[in-house]
Amino acid sequence: MTTTPRTALTIAGSDSGGGAGIQADLRTFFANGVHGMTAITAVTVQNSLGVQGFTEIPAEVVTAQIRAVASDMGVDAAKTGMLATAEIIQAVAKTLDEVHIGRNAAIPFVVDPVAASMHGDALLREEALEAIRTELFPRASLVTPNLDEVRLLTGVEVTGRESQREAAGALLEFGAQWVLVKGGHLYEDPECTDLLSDGVQCIELTGPRHDTPHTHGGGDTLASAITSGLAKGLGVPDAVEAGKRFIERSVAEAYPLGAGVGPVSPFWRLAHDQPGAAAGR
């Protein structure tokens, strides 16, 4: 008899180039053996060179998607990505309470606070940043900001291990159960060290820094790999450890695509001797 896999829900924007957003989430869920479901918050017009535009999905349509899958298929873990506006963030938070997703319920909830471009520029207005702090963080089992997002959310400029711990403390004050302060943007560090903390434990997760410009979708892929582990019943530290190893390999096998920044690749989970695996484009 076929076994139904565990389920994970991503509440995020669509990337027309397929490298980030819900596309990255879905392929990561698949690579980790989890059935992925979506609530799309925005449709972007983008490729490897950047984002040319986006259209928000009405908040009531976003929340209807969440209710539809939660009421019928069930959700074992959920995550957010790009939420675009304060209105969408507030509506999502209310709906998560309705369907019992979040740190005070039985269903783990990961907040990837997509708030900065890959160049460090703010993608959200201050009212949306404030909604992330006040509406999403208190409901989060885990938040996974990069260092630019840490700066935008807390004002802390992370330059090393000490300020990374300071940032974790500042983020925890917003109410999340755990925070993962990612160290990928500390480019002068020869390793990538992420700091996981719940205010009592501080766990450093260190891995190699791969020399590649192709990192599109890396944050989405890490957050969705962690969400996959939570959906399968892992605790937060174990899910983060598994997610860290998954993204390390995905960055190592990132590939060029288009004229700009290519995506990280979860294809390493597929056998390299599959037909066409060695063929070029």
Side-chain angles (χ1 to χ4, degrees):
M1 179 180 293
T2 300
T3 300
T4 300
R6 305 306 290 269
T7 62
L9 169 65
T10 173
I11 308 165
S14 170
D15 174 1
S16 56
I22 62 164
Q23 286 82 358
D25 293 336
L26 288 175
R27 64 184 193 169
T28 302
F29 290 158
F30 172 80
N32 283 279
V34 172
H35 177 85
M37 305 174 297
T38 64
I40 300 175
T41 62
V43 175
T44 70
V45 178
Q46 67 175 296
N47 54 26
S48 69
L49 297 173
V51 179
Q52 284 87 54
F54 73 93
T55 299
E56 301 159 13
I57 302 299
E60 62 271 20
V61 177
V62 176
T63 57
Q65 294 173 81
I66 297 170
R67 292 190 187 97
V69 297
S71 64
D72 176 50
M73 301 169 178
V75 178
D76 292 311
K79 71 169 288 288
T80 61
M82 177 187 178
L83 295 181
T85 67
E87 180 187 8
I88 291 175
I89 293 167
Q90 290 159 356
V92 165
K94 180 180 178 181
T95 306
L96 292 175
D97 289 346
E98 292 175 12
V99 299
H100 308 295
I101 293 173
R103 63 169 295 185
N104 294 322
I107 302 171
F109 175 47
V110 175
V111 174
D112 184 17
V114 178
S117 73
M118 62 186 301
H119 303 293
D121 300 318
L123 295 175
L124 298 177
R125 295 176 179 171
E126 178 52 39
E127 61 265 27
L129 288 171
E130 183 61 15
I132 289 175
R133 297 182 192 103
T134 60
E135 299 288 346
L136 294 185
F137 277 33
R139 293 170 167 83
S141 308
L142 172 71
V143 297
T144 63
N146 64 35
L147 299 188
D148 293 315
E149 289 154 354
V150 168
R151 173 177 49 80
L152 291 169
L153 289 162
T154 69
V156 176
E157 191 82 41
V158 176
T159 57
R161 300 284 187 272
E162 185 175 342
S163 52
Q164 196 174 26
R165 288 179 178 249
E166 179 188 352
L171 290 163
L172 285 166
E173 289 181 4
F174 297 133
Q177 184 178 6
W178 290 85
V179 300
L180 180 68
V181 181
K182 298 181 292 189
H185 289 184
L186 285 174
Y187 297 113
E188 68 281 2
D189 191 330
E191 296 181 308
C192 283
T193 299
D194 302 335
L195 179 67
L196 177 66
S197 177
D198 65 352
V200 177
Q201 304 176 69
C202 279
I203 304 168
E204 288 190 352
L205 299 162
T206 298
R209 182 176 295 279
H210 297 291
D211 184 18
T212 176
H214 303 303
T215 57
H216 188 50
D220 302 310
T221 299
L222 173 59
S224 50
I226 294 169
T227 303
S228 299
L230 295 173
K232 292 190 285 188
L234 296 180
V236 170
D238 288 339
V240 171
E241 172 72 23
K244 173 78 169 174
R245 302 312 161 206
F246 186 89
I247 189 60
E248 285 174 359
R249 186 73 179 271
S250 298
V251 173
E253 301 208 13
Y255 51 85
L257 185 65
V261 179
V264 301
S265 176
F267 294 146
W268 61 269
R269 275 281 170 89
L270 304 177
H272 284 280
D273 60 354
Q274 291 291 323
R281 295 183 69 242

